[in-house]
Amino acid sequence: MKKIIKSLVVLSMIVGLTACGGNNDKSKSKETEDNKTTEKTNDEKKKLEVTESNYDFDGEYVNYEIKLENPNTEYTIRFPTYVATAYDENGGVISTEEQVLHILGPQETHYWTGSLDCKGLTPNKVEFKTKSTDYYYSKTDKSLNEYLKIDNVTEINNDNETTYTGIVKNEYKEDISGVAIILIQRKDGKMVEGNINFVHDLSSNDSVPFEISGDNREIEYDSYEIYAYNWS
């Protein structure tokens, strides 16, 4: 009788272990599927985004500022492109321009400024859209923007405009032929004005001075930001 009971106990243990082993296999399988799903999600190419914009109309031109963001964690976007368009009250296009920038690294942001010639017509709406295709996504290209540093900025005010001077330094191992300097002025945290200028021939580990002006028109602002972007 004891032998029979012992045999039943051993048999039940074997069945239990087999069941546990089966559950582990299913658990591992589910974990593998979850990991593949996560990897696929991380590998998806996300579209370039406009995360902030502002514009005003001076009677002839729409002057605007825009902030672009690369939401991807792995992909660099080469030649990030946006289209700015001014429309009349009937939805007709008054003026439009397409702007191609350089390289936007993973989760990197990029400010830019521009203007639209509205030929004296008052726009009812100004729209900003991004353009991108699979061709422009890369895991190998690198943005050099992180190697460009702004330092020693001085704000100079006079009767007609505000001028900003400073130094831009290239901390990259190679020379950079061109750098775009972007000024963004803000009021209560919102963009109200911007401008752009360029410097050229910035050698590795060298610095060059820059100067950039605020707009001649009177605007109210309480803070400003200056950015440097590779333009070579």
Side-chain angles (χ1 to χ4, degrees):
M1 185 70 178
K2 287 183 179 178
K3 288 183 179 179
I4 295 174
I5 294 173
K6 187 175 180 181
S7 297
L8 290 173
V9 171
V10 172
L11 182 60
S12 66
M13 290 176 66
I14 292 172
V15 172
L17 289 172
T18 303
C20 289
N23 287 338
N24 284 339
D25 289 341
K26 289 180 181 179
S27 177
K28 288 178 181 178
S29 177
K30 185 178 185 303
E31 184 178 348
T32 301
E33 289 177 3
D34 290 343
N35 289 338
K36 287 181 178 179
T37 301
T38 301
E39 289 175 4
K40 184 178 180 181
T41 300
N42 291 337
D43 201 50
E44 289 178 352
K45 298 179 180 71
K46 298 178 182 178
K47 187 178 179 182
L48 181 70
E49 297 177 352
V50 176
T51 56
E52 188 179 9
S53 63
N54 172 71
Y55 73 89
D56 62 76
F57 180 58
D58 64 7
E60 185 174 359
Y61 289 89
V62 164
N63 303 286
Y64 66 85
E65 301 77 46
I66 188 172
K67 179 183 178 182
L68 302 171
E69 183 173 349
N70 177 2
N72 295 281
T73 58
E74 298 180 10
Y75 288 100
T76 289
I77 299 179
R78 297 181 295 129
F79 311 118
T81 303
Y82 71 85
V83 179
T85 307
Y87 296 91
D88 63 22
E89 58 183 6
N90 297 317
V93 175
I94 297 175
S95 181
T96 186
E97 73 166 3
E98 179 176 303
Q99 178 64 57
V100 181
L101 304 179
H102 199 267
I103 290 180
L104 210 52
Q107 296 189 312
E108 191 172 72
T109 59
H110 202 317
Y111 288 90
W112 203 255
T113 71
S115 61
L116 298 171
D117 184 357
C118 291
K119 309 167 188 68
L121 301 176
T122 302
N124 182 62
K125 180 180 73 171
V126 177
E127 182 180 66
F128 303 96
K129 286 188 175 182
T130 63
K131 293 179 64 177
S132 60
T133 66
D134 286 348
Y135 173 77
Y136 297 118
Y137 290 87
S138 171
K139 288 187 176 181
T140 56
D141 290 334
K142 263 193 166 184
S143 165
L144 302 184
N145 298 331
E146 61 184 294
Y147 298 101
L148 295 170
K149 308 298 181 183
I150 296 288
D151 199 9
N152 296 334
V153 175
T154 301
E155 182 180 40
I156 304 171
N157 293 294
N158 58 37
D159 294 337
N160 297 320
E161 65 179 6
T162 302
T163 302
Y164 301 88
T165 61
I167 299 292
V168 56
K169 182 177 181 181
N170 174 16
E171 296 183 351
Y172 189 54
K173 61 183 178 181
E174 298 178 5
D175 300 347
I176 296 178
S177 60
V179 177
I181 307 295
I182 302 293
L183 166 68
I184 299 293
Q185 294 169 309
R186 296 182 181 271
K187 174 68 174 178
D188 298 327
K190 297 180 180 180
M191 294 191 296
V192 294
E193 197 64 74
N195 204 359
I196 184 172
N197 203 359
F198 296 89
V199 297
H200 304 282
D201 301 324
L202 184 51
S203 301
S204 175
N205 294 313
D206 198 7
S207 301
V208 296
F210 70 84
E211 180 176 319
I212 189 168
S213 299
D215 199 273
N216 289 326
R217 289 169 291 126
E218 293 183 1
I219 61 166
E220 292 185 5
Y221 69 97
D222 52 30
S223 65
Y224 67 89
E225 304 151 12
I226 297 179
Y227 302 92
Y229 301 114
N230 176 34
W231 199 251
S232 56

